[in-house]
Amino acid sequence: MSGGSFDWLYEVQDLEDVQSKQFQLEAMAERLAGLGYAQDAARETEELLVLFRQWQTRVAVRVSRLADLWQAVEYWDSADRTEEAVHAALAKYRADTDAIPPP
């Protein structure tokens, strides 16, 4: 059977696939760079990894800021909390968001 040396990296379709194939992306970038004539493709592969890792970090930050508010709304909708809890969580979210300088 041919192929598979990069765990079928070429079949990557979405962010979940990229997340699970970060090691293979690094290996592919090194392999392309080692060819000596595919530096542009090596760079783009490396840039893909950098973009993905930046995205992961940005998502983690936003999720941590929103999690309490999401929980308050979910609990309110299931009658485990009151609307006041949503207002309190929203005020905390807004205070945290206001403290962040714009990009």
Side-chain angles (χ1 to χ4, degrees):
M1 176 194 255
S2 62
S5 57
F6 292 93
D7 197 19
W8 292 273
L9 179 62
Y10 63 88
E11 292 181 348
V12 165
Q13 296 290 317
D14 55 29
L15 288 172
E16 186 176 341
D17 290 343
V18 171
Q19 182 173 6
S20 70
K21 302 235 187 249
Q22 290 182 66
F23 175 77
Q24 290 82 1
L25 282 164
E26 290 172 357
M28 181 60 77
E30 289 176 19
R31 178 70 173 108
L32 290 167
L35 292 175
Y37 50 82
Q39 281 14 30
D40 53 344
R43 269 191 309 278
E44 188 167 358
T45 304
E46 290 167 351
E47 289 170 4
L48 176 64
L49 274 166
V50 168
L51 288 169
F52 180 74
R53 290 174 179 153
Q54 288 173 343
W55 179 83
Q56 283 181 304
T57 301
R58 296 177 90 169
V59 166
V61 167
R62 289 173 187 255
V63 165
S64 72
R65 284 199 326 253
L66 287 161
D68 289 343
L69 179 58
W70 291 347
Q71 182 184 42
V73 170
E74 186 169 339
Y75 279 28
W76 179 36
D77 286 354
S78 60
D80 294 319
R81 286 198 185 155
T82 64
E83 185 176 2
E84 288 75 32
V86 173
H87 289 284
L90 185 58
K92 181 182 180 295
Y93 162 78
R94 287 179 174 156
D96 290 347
T97 304
D98 289 342
I100 299 169

